[in-house]
């Protein structure tokens, strides 16, 4: 055991300072309350703002702007019951997902006139034992270290957090209130510095993404030679094109093949050697691996198609409509994706053309419950067509330019991820007493 430390029963806080008081976390919570979803408003702008987990700005341990919240209708009494208050810890008790498990929490630091939804829970912290800000950092340390995973279950596709068991099974170590305040002040200051650095990196990443879009658009609509004579294309999103180019509809450039999903209740169709793409695997880049795979049986029984290597994959339905990928190997894909085997000389050229017109495609999509572009509408898209040799030249030039930008992006993403890990480590070490605030320790 480290000198000056004592053991605890916690699996994630093995040692804490000897002078800190260790007790079950539930003793720091005076009350818990579920939220309410209210009723649907009949008119735009009607009702009160309602906080959901989607409104958490968790990277900054805060909330997104209130104007982005959804509106719901509550009676006056119901709204007062589920209105957030300063010092509330609002916990996501239901929801979550593979990348963001249920259990995230944010502290309400300033008065805000909003209700909280039925998938959230309010914890009121006993400020005589623990200041709410310190408790919020303790919760964040437990969540980010994956220590709360044993306390949620998933039975109907939604993860549910058992807050009662979590608070009973986990201990919190409390320094004197003076040190709690000092820890919170230090963490607020240091986390703000890290957040600012991450935000600056994100701005740079956004600028690089815009640069990529601009480079691709210029190359596929204007070509590589800025001196060639130009002519109107007659297509709004394209503008002018080189005089020797033509425009054609996509159906004369490529065929369209929609994917399938094998019956999910038959495990013999899954976890085999065949790459099987879903929209989550596609991100406007070359792709060669997928989160899920299929067996040869799924292909032989025609439960999903198999397409040859070197083909553009287009997401035609859902929230990420318009994303494209270029498959470097033979693959299969689900029904949200359309493969575009091309008749022209360069398959990669088509991949870049489809990237360039994503905004136009999204604007033309039909909306029911989800945005969708069917194969008929896809085939009607007008494309700028250079001669075959020029197509290959454009694809080669773009591969080189985009690869260089992607290398810079990868470095900046790694820097951002490193800063995020530093922030997590900082919070964990101070709320567990591994690091102390020198002036009060």
């Amino acid at each position: 055991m480290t000198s000056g430390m004592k053991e605890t029963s916690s699996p994630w806080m093995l040692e804490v300072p000897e002078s800190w008081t260790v007790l079950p976390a539930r003793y720091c919570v005076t009350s818990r309350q579920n939220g309410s979803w209210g009723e649907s408003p009949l008119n735009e702008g009607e009702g009160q703002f309602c906080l959901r987990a989607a409104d958490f700005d968790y990277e900054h341990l805060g909330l997104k702007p209130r104007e982005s919240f959804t509106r719901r209708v509550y009676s006056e009494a119901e709204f007062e019951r589920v209105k957030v208050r300063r010092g509330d810890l609002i916990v996501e008790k239901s929801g979550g997902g593979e990348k963001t498990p249920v259990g995230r929490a944010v502290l309400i630091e300033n008065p805000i006139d909003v209700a909280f939804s039925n998938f959230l829970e309010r914890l009121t912290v006993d400020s005589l034992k623990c200041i709410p800000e310190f408790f919020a950092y303790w919760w964040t340390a437990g969540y980010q270290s994956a220590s709360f995973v044993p306390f949620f279950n998933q039975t109907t596709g939604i993860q549910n957090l058992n807050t009662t068991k979590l608070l009973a099974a986990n201990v919190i170590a409390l320094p004197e209130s003076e040190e709690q305040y000092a820890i919170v002040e230090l963490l607020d200051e240091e986390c703000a510095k890290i957040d600012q650095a991450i935000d600056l990196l994100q701005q740079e990443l956004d600028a690089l993404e815009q640069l990529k879009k601009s480079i691709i658009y210029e190359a596929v609509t204007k070509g590589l030679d800025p001196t060639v004579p130009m002519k109107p294309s007659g297509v709004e999103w394209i503008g002018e094109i080189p005089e020797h180019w033509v425009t054609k509809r996509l159906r004369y450039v490529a065929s369209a093949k929609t994917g399938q999903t094998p019956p999910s209740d038959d495990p013999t169709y899954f976890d085999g050697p065949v790459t099987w793409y879903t929209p989550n695997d596609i991100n406007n880049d070359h792709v060669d691996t997928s989160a899920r795979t299929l067996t040869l049986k799924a292909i032989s029984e025609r439960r999903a198609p198999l397409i040859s290597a070197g083909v553009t994959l287009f997401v035609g339905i859902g929230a990420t409509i318009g994303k494209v990928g270029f498959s470097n190997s033979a693959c299969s894909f689900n029904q949200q994706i359309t493969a575009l085997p091309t008749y022209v000389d360069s398959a990669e050229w088509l991949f870049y053309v489809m990237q360039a017109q994503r905004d136009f495609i999204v604007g033309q999509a039909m909306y029911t419950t989800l945005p969708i572009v069917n194969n008929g509408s896809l085939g009607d898209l007008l494309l700028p067509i250079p001669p075959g040799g020029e197509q290959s030249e454009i694809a080669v030039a773009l591969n080189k330019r985009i690869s260089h930008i992607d290398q810079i992006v990868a470095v900046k993403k790694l820097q951002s991820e490193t800063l995020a890990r530093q922030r997590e480590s900082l919070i964990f070490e101070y709320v567990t007493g591994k690091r102390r605030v020198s002036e009060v320790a």
Side-chain angles (χ1 to χ4, degrees):
M1 186 188 307
T2 308
S3 176
M5 305 290 279
K6 62 184 178 183
E7 293 181 347
T8 79
S9 60
S10 171
W12 62 278
M13 291 196 310
L14 300 179
E15 294 181 343
V16 297
E18 288 180 342
S19 61
W20 288 20
T21 301
V22 178
L23 69 164
R26 63 189 175 91
Y27 291 150
C28 292
V29 176
T30 59
S31 66
R32 292 167 44 200
Q33 181 184 349
N34 294 328
S36 170
W37 189 225
E39 302 292 337
S40 299
L42 298 178
N43 302 302
E44 186 176 352
E46 182 184 3
Q48 291 84 14
F49 289 111
C50 179
L51 173 64
R52 302 162 299 159
D55 304 312
F56 288 6
D57 180 8
Y58 194 66
E59 290 183 356
H60 299 88
L61 301 179
L63 301 176
K64 296 175 183 177
R66 189 182 71 160
E67 292 68 29
S68 67
F69 295 7
T70 191
R71 284 183 179 269
R72 304 293 292 177
V73 175
Y74 299 90
S75 67
E76 184 175 346
E78 179 70 356
F79 182 69
E80 284 301 314
R81 187 183 73 83
V82 295
K83 180 180 176 181
V84 301
R85 300 186 296 262
R86 186 180 183 281
D88 287 345
L89 188 71
I90 304 298
V91 177
E92 179 191 26
K93 66 169 187 172
S94 296
E98 184 177 345
K99 294 183 178 180
T100 53
V102 71
R104 294 175 299 163
V106 295
L107 183 72
I108 305 299
E109 298 187 80
N110 300 299
I112 179 172
D113 201 30
V114 301
F116 62 102
S117 77
N118 56 318
F119 275 24
L120 303 179
E121 181 178 15
R122 183 210 317 264
L123 303 189
T124 303
V125 179
D126 185 348
S127 58
L128 296 177
K129 292 190 178 79
C130 176
I131 65 172
E133 294 84 356
F134 185 86
F135 190 87
Y137 274 126
W138 170 84
W139 186 286
T140 299
Y143 176 83
Q144 292 183 340
S145 62
S147 302
F148 293 167
V149 170
F151 303 98
F152 69 75
N153 56 69
Q154 185 167 351
T155 55
T156 60
I158 295 178
Q159 297 172 358
N160 296 293
L161 182 70
N162 190 325
T163 314
T164 300
K165 287 186 177 180
L166 186 156
L167 292 172
N170 283 271
V171 298
I172 185 171
L174 299 174
E176 295 294 331
S177 60
E178 181 184 4
E179 188 171 357
Q180 290 183 39
Y181 279 110
I183 290 171
V184 167
E185 183 179 357
L186 183 144
L187 287 177
D188 283 349
E189 182 178 340
E190 294 302 315
C191 288
K193 291 177 184 177
I194 294 173
D195 289 344
Q196 184 178 26
I198 291 175
D199 288 345
L200 288 173
L201 283 170
Q202 187 57 53
Q203 291 174 25
E204 294 175 8
L205 287 168
D206 292 342
L208 287 168
E209 187 62 32
Q210 286 302 121
L211 178 60
K212 282 174 60 174
K213 289 181 179 180
S214 175
I215 289 172
I216 292 170
Y217 174 81
E218 288 296 315
V220 302
T221 61
K222 307 296 182 276
L224 303 177
D225 184 355
T227 67
V228 298
M230 307 292 285
K231 67 180 180 182
S233 68
V235 182
E236 182 180 355
W237 79 268
I238 300 174
E240 290 191 327
I241 58 174
E243 205 170 61
H244 62 288
W245 289 20
V246 298
T247 58
K248 290 183 181 179
R249 297 195 184 278
L250 178 59
R251 64 169 52 91
Y252 301 120
V253 174
S255 59
K257 187 175 184 64
T258 303
Q260 292 174 255
T261 296
S264 58
D265 58 354
D266 190 338
T268 65
Y269 291 135
F270 296 93
D271 300 322
V274 181
T275 303
W276 181 65
Y277 294 115
T278 68
N280 287 337
D281 301 308
I282 307 298
N283 197 30
N284 298 322
D285 202 350
H286 292 67
V287 291
D288 48 27
T289 59
S290 59
R292 300 190 69 186
T293 57
L294 301 182
T295 60
L296 294 174
K297 176 184 176 182
I299 304 302
S300 65
E301 294 185 5
R302 298 186 178 181
R303 296 295 189 171
L306 184 68
I307 202 82
S308 300
V311 67
T312 296
L313 302 171
F314 172 81
V315 178
I317 182 172
T320 57
I321 187 172
K323 286 199 307 182
V324 293
F326 186 80
S327 177
N328 296 312
S329 57
C331 65
S332 187
F333 42 96
N334 80 352
Q335 66 278 4
Q336 292 176 275
I337 294 175
T338 298
L340 300 172
T342 182
Y343 312 134
V344 296
D345 290 1
S346 174
E348 278 190 296
W349 163 83
L350 179 61
F351 162 64
Y352 284 117
V353 174
M354 295 303 292
Q355 281 195 64
Q357 60 178 333
R358 182 185 180 187
D359 291 344
F360 177 77
I361 291 172
V362 172
Q364 299 298 306
M366 298 181 294
Y367 281 78
T368 51
T369 54
L370 290 172
I372 183 171
V373 173
N374 60 40
N375 288 352
S377 299
L378 197 61
D380 285 336
L381 291 174
L382 283 163
L383 310 181
I385 313 292
E390 202 170 340
Q391 294 171 23
S392 299
E393 290 174 1
I394 290 171
V396 169
L398 284 176
N399 281 342
K400 184 176 180 180
R401 295 180 189 177
I402 299 307
S403 175
H404 176 67
I405 294 174
D406 285 344
Q407 290 174 15
I408 299 173
V409 167
V411 170
K412 293 190 179 295
K413 283 185 175 180
L414 180 60
Q415 292 172 342
S416 182
E417 291 166 2
T418 300
L419 285 168
R421 287 195 296 271
Q422 287 178 0
R423 181 180 55 199
E424 290 181 11
S425 178
L426 195 69
I427 293 170
F428 183 88
E429 290 178 358
Y430 273 102
V431 301
T432 59
K434 295 184 183 301
R435 295 176 69 175
R436 305 290 294 275
V437 181
S438 58
E439 61 267 25
V440 296

